[in-house]
Amino acid sequence: MFNQYSYKVKFKVLIVLFFMLSIAAYRRSFSSLIDAVKENRILRNKVESFSKKANSIGHLKSEINSLDRMIGREGVNKEKTQQELVNFLLENSNNVSIHNMQPIHEYTENNYKVYSYVIDLTGGITNLLNVAYNFEKNFEYSKIVSTKYYTEKKNNKFETLHLKIIFQKYENY
């Protein structure tokens, strides 16, 4: 049956048949395979970006915790912070008394509120140093900004040693 055709015609028919089978194979198998490979590549990139974002969220949480330790705990109202200041002083001080405690000073700037607490303590030098150290290391509601030691003479009889501590707490609103 194929003997009547020349090799040239057989070759042309074979090439046309090859291209038709190639197109059919591409549409049935290879196109879906190529689409699946492209989708797989896109999904891998998305998974990688999600994992990077998850790592950055964990990093941000650790940064927030370190900032809370550095500038004072956020989310506690100012009166509670002042009460915690007095409670901490009562629990962690020996022979130290509160001479003066000023009202809370509030300052607002752009998106931040700054609360300042001023407390004046009296006592011996080692006791005052221990209190200042304990506040610096262990008090988490606000942080010490300034300390000032000074003496006050009463009626030319005796001197009293004072420690004036200024605490500040920053909040974002």
Side-chain angles (χ1 to χ4, degrees):
M1 162 169 170
F2 292 111
N3 290 340
Q4 61 192 15
Y5 299 114
S6 71
Y7 286 114
K8 217 180 216 186
V9 172
K10 288 179 187 177
F11 183 70
K12 288 179 183 177
V13 168
L14 189 61
I15 289 179
V16 168
L17 188 62
F18 173 75
F19 281 119
M20 286 175 47
L21 288 175
S22 297
I23 291 171
Y26 174 77
R27 287 190 177 170
R28 296 285 278 166
S29 302
F30 299 130
S31 66
S32 60
L33 175 67
I34 291 171
D35 290 340
V37 167
K38 287 179 183 177
E39 188 174 347
N40 186 15
R41 189 175 300 136
I42 290 170
L43 290 175
R44 282 187 186 189
N45 289 339
K46 284 184 180 181
V47 165
E48 186 177 313
S49 68
F50 287 147
S51 65
K52 284 181 183 178
K53 288 178 183 177
N55 289 339
S56 66
I57 288 172
H59 181 69
L60 284 175
K61 285 182 180 179
S62 66
E63 282 185 13
I64 288 172
N65 289 337
S66 66
L67 284 175
D68 276 347
R69 284 190 302 274
M70 194 181 319
I71 63 173
R73 184 185 292 177
E74 190 175 11
V76 180
N77 73 19
K78 58 186 178 181
E79 288 81 15
K80 174 139 175 71
T81 301
Q82 188 172 30
Q83 186 60 41
E84 289 296 328
L85 190 111
V86 173
N87 289 342
F88 187 84
L89 182 65
L90 292 174
E91 292 172 0
N92 297 308
S93 65
N94 296 333
N95 299 326
V96 173
S97 61
I98 299 174
H99 180 263
N100 185 12
M101 188 169 205
Q102 294 182 5
I104 301 168
H105 180 264
E106 183 178 330
Y107 176 73
T108 305
E109 174 77 26
N110 293 335
N111 294 334
Y112 294 97
K113 282 187 181 180
V114 180
Y115 300 109
S116 297
Y117 308 90
V118 180
I119 189 167
D120 192 356
L121 307 172
T122 59
I125 183 70
T126 49
N127 296 332
L128 291 175
L129 282 171
N130 284 334
V131 166
Y133 179 77
N134 285 336
F135 269 120
E136 182 66 29
K137 290 297 180 183
N138 302 323
F139 191 65
E140 58 187 28
Y141 290 94
S142 64
K143 291 300 172 186
I144 294 178
V145 176
S146 172
T147 59
K148 179 182 176 184
Y149 291 91
Y150 65 96
T151 58
E152 184 178 75
K153 202 170 206 180
K154 286 192 177 184
N155 299 333
N156 292 332
K157 293 184 179 178
F158 60 93
E159 290 183 351
T160 307
L161 181 62
H162 291 264
L163 170 61
K164 185 176 188 177
I165 305 176
I166 300 174
F167 294 89
Q168 281 190 341
K169 176 183 173 180
Y170 301 88
E171 283 194 2
N172 190 7
Y173 73 96

PDB file of all heavy atoms in Angstrom, residues 59-81:
ATOM      1  N   HIS A  59      11.002  37.615  65.668  1.00  0.00           N
ATOM      2  CA  HIS A  59      12.051  38.589  65.973  1.00  0.00           C
ATOM      3  C   HIS A  59      11.444  39.882  66.514  1.00  0.00           C
ATOM      4  O   HIS A  59      11.968  40.468  67.472  1.00  0.00           O
ATOM      5  CB  HIS A  59      12.867  38.858  64.708  1.00  0.00           C
ATOM      6  CG  HIS A  59      13.982  39.817  64.894  1.00  0.00           C
ATOM      7  ND1 HIS A  59      15.099  39.502  65.639  1.00  0.00           N
ATOM      8  CD2 HIS A  59      14.153  41.089  64.468  1.00  0.00           C
ATOM      9  CE1 HIS A  59      15.917  40.547  65.644  1.00  0.00           C
ATOM     10  NE2 HIS A  59      15.351  41.521  64.942  1.00  0.00           N
ATOM     11  N   LEU A  60      10.333  40.328  65.925  1.00  0.00           N
ATOM     12  CA  LEU A  60       9.669  41.541  66.413  1.00  0.00           C
ATOM     13  C   LEU A  60       9.143  41.365  67.835  1.00  0.00           C
ATOM     14  O   LEU A  60       9.240  42.281  68.656  1.00  0.00           O
ATOM     15  CB  LEU A  60       8.511  41.920  65.482  1.00  0.00           C
ATOM     16  CG  LEU A  60       8.888  42.563  64.160  1.00  0.00           C
ATOM     17  CD1 LEU A  60       7.660  42.766  63.301  1.00  0.00           C
ATOM     18  CD2 LEU A  60       9.598  43.876  64.381  1.00  0.00           C
ATOM     19  N   LYS A  61       8.598  40.180  68.139  1.00  0.00           N
ATOM     20  CA  LYS A  61       8.120  39.925  69.496  1.00  0.00           C
ATOM     21  C   LYS A  61       9.261  39.971  70.497  1.00  0.00           C
ATOM     22  O   LYS A  61       9.112  40.533  71.589  1.00  0.00           O
ATOM     23  CB  LYS A  61       7.412  38.565  69.571  1.00  0.00           C
ATOM     24  CG  LYS A  61       6.043  38.564  68.957  1.00  0.00           C
ATOM     25  CD  LYS A  61       5.375  37.211  69.095  1.00  0.00           C
ATOM     26  CE  LYS A  61       4.001  37.213  68.473  1.00  0.00           C
ATOM     27  NZ  LYS A  61       3.347  35.896  68.574  1.00  0.00           N
ATOM     28  N   SER A  62      10.398  39.412  70.142  1.00  0.00           N
ATOM     29  CA  SER A  62      11.543  39.463  71.065  1.00  0.00           C
ATOM     30  C   SER A  62      12.039  40.892  71.222  1.00  0.00           C
ATOM     31  O   SER A  62      12.449  41.294  72.318  1.00  0.00           O
ATOM     32  CB  SER A  62      12.666  38.542  70.590  1.00  0.00           C
ATOM     33  OG  SER A  62      13.207  39.007  69.375  1.00  0.00           O
ATOM     34  N   GLU A  63      12.008  41.682  70.154  1.00  0.00           N
ATOM     35  CA  GLU A  63      12.406  43.090  70.259  1.00  0.00           C
ATOM     36  C   GLU A  63      11.437  43.867  71.151  1.00  0.00           C
ATOM     37  O   GLU A  63      11.856  44.711  71.947  1.00  0.00           O
ATOM     38  CB  GLU A  63      12.465  43.736  68.877  1.00  0.00           C
ATOM     39  CG  GLU A  63      13.695  43.396  68.100  1.00  0.00           C
ATOM     40  CD  GLU A  63      13.770  44.146  66.782  1.00  0.00           C
ATOM     41  OE1 GLU A  63      12.985  45.110  66.581  1.00  0.00           O
ATOM     42  OE2 GLU A  63      14.610  43.778  65.963  1.00  0.00           O
ATOM     43  N   ILE A  64      10.142  43.596  71.017  1.00  0.00           N
ATOM     44  CA  ILE A  64       9.154  44.277  71.864  1.00  0.00           C
ATOM     45  C   ILE A  64       9.379  43.926  73.324  1.00  0.00           C
ATOM     46  O   ILE A  64       9.318  44.792  74.199  1.00  0.00           O
ATOM     47  CB  ILE A  64       7.725  43.922  71.408  1.00  0.00           C
ATOM     48  CG1 ILE A  64       7.416  44.617  70.085  1.00  0.00           C
ATOM     49  CG2 ILE A  64       6.694  44.306  72.451  1.00  0.00           C
ATOM     50  CD1 ILE A  64       6.119  44.185  69.439  1.00  0.00           C
ATOM     51  N   ASN A  65       9.647  42.654  73.604  1.00  0.00           N
ATOM     52  CA  ASN A  65       9.910  42.243  74.986  1.00  0.00           C
ATOM     53  C   ASN A  65      11.159  42.918  75.530  1.00  0.00           C
ATOM     54  O   ASN A  65      11.181  43.360  76.684  1.00  0.00           O
ATOM     55  CB  ASN A  65      10.045  40.719  75.078  1.00  0.00           C
ATOM     56  CG  ASN A  65       8.723  40.027  74.886  1.00  0.00           C
ATOM     57  OD1 ASN A  65       7.672  40.608  75.101  1.00  0.00           O
ATOM     58  ND2 ASN A  65       8.779  38.780  74.459  1.00  0.00           N
ATOM     59  N   SER A  66      12.205  43.029  74.722  1.00  0.00           N
ATOM     60  CA  SER A  66      13.422  43.690  75.211  1.00  0.00           C
ATOM     61  C   SER A  66      13.178  45.181  75.418  1.00  0.00           C
ATOM     62  O   SER A  66      13.687  45.767  76.370  1.00  0.00           O
ATOM     63  CB  SER A  66      14.584  43.453  74.254  1.00  0.00           C
ATOM     64  OG  SER A  66      14.348  44.094  73.016  1.00  0.00           O
ATOM     65  N   LEU A  67      12.367  45.806  74.542  1.00  0.00           N
ATOM     66  CA  LEU A  67      12.039  47.217  74.744  1.00  0.00           C
ATOM     67  C   LEU A  67      11.182  47.416  75.983  1.00  0.00           C
ATOM     68  O   LEU A  67      11.352  48.406  76.711  1.00  0.00           O
ATOM     69  CB  LEU A  67      11.320  47.783  73.518  1.00  0.00           C
ATOM     70  CG  LEU A  67      12.190  48.073  72.309  1.00  0.00           C
ATOM     71  CD1 LEU A  67      11.338  48.498  71.134  1.00  0.00           C
ATOM     72  CD2 LEU A  67      13.222  49.129  72.622  1.00  0.00           C
ATOM     73  N   ASP A  68      10.254  46.482  76.258  1.00  0.00           N
ATOM     74  CA  ASP A  68       9.460  46.572  77.483  1.00  0.00           C
ATOM     75  C   ASP A  68      10.361  46.501  78.713  1.00  0.00           C
ATOM     76  O   ASP A  68      10.139  47.205  79.690  1.00  0.00           O
ATOM     77  CB  ASP A  68       8.421  45.452  77.538  1.00  0.00           C
ATOM     78  CG  ASP A  68       7.153  45.801  76.772  1.00  0.00           C
ATOM     79  OD1 ASP A  68       6.996  46.977  76.414  1.00  0.00           O
ATOM     80  OD2 ASP A  68       6.341  44.898  76.544  1.00  0.00           O
ATOM     81  N   ARG A  69      11.376  45.625  78.654  1.00  0.00           N
ATOM     82  CA  ARG A  69      12.305  45.551  79.783  1.00  0.00           C
ATOM     83  C   ARG A  69      13.123  46.831  79.902  1.00  0.00           C
ATOM     84  O   ARG A  69      13.476  47.251  80.996  1.00  0.00           O
ATOM     85  CB  ARG A  69      13.235  44.349  79.623  1.00  0.00           C
ATOM     86  CG  ARG A  69      12.588  43.021  79.930  1.00  0.00           C
ATOM     87  CD  ARG A  69      13.608  41.912  80.000  1.00  0.00           C
ATOM     88  NE  ARG A  69      14.381  41.758  78.792  1.00  0.00           N
ATOM     89  CZ  ARG A  69      14.021  41.029  77.735  1.00  0.00           C
ATOM     90  NH1 ARG A  69      12.878  40.391  77.759  1.00  0.00           N
ATOM     91  NH2 ARG A  69      14.791  40.942  76.674  1.00  0.00           N
ATOM     92  N   MET A  70      13.415  47.458  78.752  1.00  0.00           N
ATOM     93  CA  MET A  70      14.257  48.634  78.764  1.00  0.00           C
ATOM     94  C   MET A  70      13.508  49.894  79.195  1.00  0.00           C
ATOM     95  O   MET A  70      14.036  50.696  79.963  1.00  0.00           O
ATOM     96  CB  MET A  70      14.864  48.844  77.376  1.00  0.00           C
ATOM     97  CG  MET A  70      15.995  49.819  77.339  1.00  0.00           C
ATOM     98  SD  MET A  70      16.674  50.083  75.682  1.00  0.00           S
ATOM     99  CE  MET A  70      16.704  48.477  74.978  1.00  0.00           C
ATOM    100  N   ILE A  71      12.275  50.087  78.717  1.00  0.00           N
ATOM    101  CA  ILE A  71      11.577  51.349  78.982  1.00  0.00           C
ATOM    102  C   ILE A  71      10.368  51.196  79.877  1.00  0.00           C
ATOM    103  O   ILE A  71       9.673  52.169  80.134  1.00  0.00           O
ATOM    104  CB  ILE A  71      11.163  52.047  77.673  1.00  0.00           C
ATOM    105  CG1 ILE A  71      10.177  51.211  76.886  1.00  0.00           C
ATOM    106  CG2 ILE A  71      12.355  52.407  76.848  1.00  0.00           C
ATOM    107  CD1 ILE A  71       9.609  51.906  75.671  1.00  0.00           C
ATOM    108  N   GLY A  72      10.104  50.014  80.373  1.00  0.00           N
ATOM    109  CA  GLY A  72       8.975  49.829  81.274  1.00  0.00           C
ATOM    110  C   GLY A  72       7.836  49.110  80.600  1.00  0.00           C
ATOM    111  O   GLY A  72       7.648  49.208  79.396  1.00  0.00           O
ATOM    112  N   ARG A  73       7.079  48.419  81.398  1.00  0.00           N
ATOM    113  CA  ARG A  73       5.982  47.609  80.891  1.00  0.00           C
ATOM    114  C   ARG A  73       4.890  48.500  80.330  1.00  0.00           C
ATOM    115  O   ARG A  73       4.480  49.475  80.937  1.00  0.00           O
ATOM    116  CB  ARG A  73       5.436  46.737  82.008  1.00  0.00           C
ATOM    117  CG  ARG A  73       4.355  45.785  81.535  1.00  0.00           C
ATOM    118  CD  ARG A  73       3.753  45.025  82.648  1.00  0.00           C
ATOM    119  NE  ARG A  73       4.716  44.083  83.207  1.00  0.00           N
ATOM    120  CZ  ARG A  73       4.470  43.321  84.247  1.00  0.00           C
ATOM    121  NH1 ARG A  73       3.317  43.407  84.855  1.00  0.00           N
ATOM    122  NH2 ARG A  73       5.376  42.494  84.691  1.00  0.00           N
ATOM    123  N   GLU A  74       4.403  48.124  79.160  1.00  0.00           N
ATOM    124  CA  GLU A  74       3.355  48.909  78.505  1.00  0.00           C
ATOM    125  C   GLU A  74       1.994  48.310  78.856  1.00  0.00           C
ATOM    126  O   GLU A  74       1.861  47.132  79.126  1.00  0.00           O
ATOM    127  CB  GLU A  74       3.553  48.876  76.992  1.00  0.00           C
ATOM    128  CG  GLU A  74       2.678  49.842  76.254  1.00  0.00           C
ATOM    129  CD  GLU A  74       2.978  49.878  74.765  1.00  0.00           C
ATOM    130  OE1 GLU A  74       3.704  49.020  74.274  1.00  0.00           O
ATOM    131  OE2 GLU A  74       2.462  50.779  74.115  1.00  0.00           O
ATOM    132  N   GLY A  75       0.980  49.152  78.882  1.00  0.00           N
ATOM    133  CA  GLY A  75      -0.374  48.670  79.113  1.00  0.00           C
ATOM    134  C   GLY A  75      -0.819  48.746  80.563  1.00  0.00           C
ATOM    135  O   GLY A  75      -1.906  48.303  80.890  1.00  0.00           O
ATOM    136  N   VAL A  76       0.007  49.280  81.444  1.00  0.00           N
ATOM    137  CA  VAL A  76      -0.356  49.430  82.851  1.00  0.00           C
ATOM    138  C   VAL A  76      -0.623  50.909  83.074  1.00  0.00           C
ATOM    139  O   VAL A  76       0.184  51.755  82.687  1.00  0.00           O
ATOM    140  CB  VAL A  76       0.788  48.937  83.772  1.00  0.00           C
ATOM    141  CG1 VAL A  76       0.416  49.103  85.219  1.00  0.00           C
ATOM    142  CG2 VAL A  76       1.134  47.502  83.459  1.00  0.00           C
ATOM    143  N   ASN A  77      -1.746  51.242  83.706  1.00  0.00           N
ATOM    144  CA  ASN A  77      -2.062  52.660  83.851  1.00  0.00           C
ATOM    145  C   ASN A  77      -1.102  53.344  84.824  1.00  0.00           C
ATOM    146  O   ASN A  77      -0.426  52.699  85.617  1.00  0.00           O
ATOM    147  CB  ASN A  77      -3.540  52.884  84.207  1.00  0.00           C
ATOM    148  CG  ASN A  77      -3.870  52.510  85.634  1.00  0.00           C
ATOM    149  OD1 ASN A  77      -3.001  52.409  86.493  1.00  0.00           O
ATOM    150  ND2 ASN A  77      -5.142  52.306  85.883  1.00  0.00           N
ATOM    151  N   LYS A  78      -1.057  54.652  84.746  1.00  0.00           N
ATOM    152  CA  LYS A  78      -0.038  55.419  85.475  1.00  0.00           C
ATOM    153  C   LYS A  78      -0.198  55.330  86.987  1.00  0.00           C
ATOM    154  O   LYS A  78       0.794  55.297  87.711  1.00  0.00           O
ATOM    155  CB  LYS A  78      -0.038  56.872  85.005  1.00  0.00           C
ATOM    156  CG  LYS A  78      -1.358  57.584  85.167  1.00  0.00           C
ATOM    157  CD  LYS A  78      -1.312  58.958  84.547  1.00  0.00           C
ATOM    158  CE  LYS A  78      -2.664  59.635  84.691  1.00  0.00           C
ATOM    159  NZ  LYS A  78      -2.674  60.940  84.094  1.00  0.00           N
ATOM    160  N   GLU A  79      -1.423  55.273  87.490  1.00  0.00           N
ATOM    161  CA  GLU A  79      -1.623  55.180  88.938  1.00  0.00           C
ATOM    162  C   GLU A  79      -1.161  53.823  89.464  1.00  0.00           C
ATOM    163  O   GLU A  79      -0.568  53.727  90.538  1.00  0.00           O
ATOM    164  CB  GLU A  79      -3.090  55.412  89.307  1.00  0.00           C
ATOM    165  CG  GLU A  79      -3.567  56.843  89.161  1.00  0.00           C
ATOM    166  CD  GLU A  79      -3.925  57.206  87.729  1.00  0.00           C
ATOM    167  OE1 GLU A  79      -4.083  56.296  86.895  1.00  0.00           O
ATOM    168  OE2 GLU A  79      -4.026  58.412  87.433  1.00  0.00           O
ATOM    169  N   LYS A  80      -1.414  52.771  88.701  1.00  0.00           N
ATOM    170  CA  LYS A  80      -0.956  51.437  89.106  1.00  0.00           C
ATOM    171  C   LYS A  80       0.570  51.385  89.128  1.00  0.00           C
ATOM    172  O   LYS A  80       1.164  50.766  90.008  1.00  0.00           O
ATOM    173  CB  LYS A  80      -1.511  50.361  88.178  1.00  0.00           C
ATOM    174  CG  LYS A  80      -0.949  48.981  88.460  1.00  0.00           C
ATOM    175  CD  LYS A  80      -1.982  47.922  88.369  1.00  0.00           C
ATOM    176  CE  LYS A  80      -1.427  46.528  88.529  1.00  0.00           C
ATOM    177  NZ  LYS A  80      -1.001  46.169  89.824  1.00  0.00           N
ATOM    178  N   THR A  81       1.199  52.030  88.168  1.00  0.00           N
ATOM    179  CA  THR A  81       2.665  52.073  88.138  1.00  0.00           C
ATOM    180  C   THR A  81       3.198  52.772  89.376  1.00  0.00           C
ATOM    181  O   THR A  81       4.157  52.310  90.000  1.00  0.00           O
ATOM    182  CB  THR A  81       3.148  52.779  86.865  1.00  0.00           C
ATOM    183  OG1 THR A  81       2.647  52.075  85.728  1.00  0.00           O
ATOM    184  CG2 THR A  81       4.661  52.824  86.801  1.00  0.00           C
TER     185      THR A  81
END
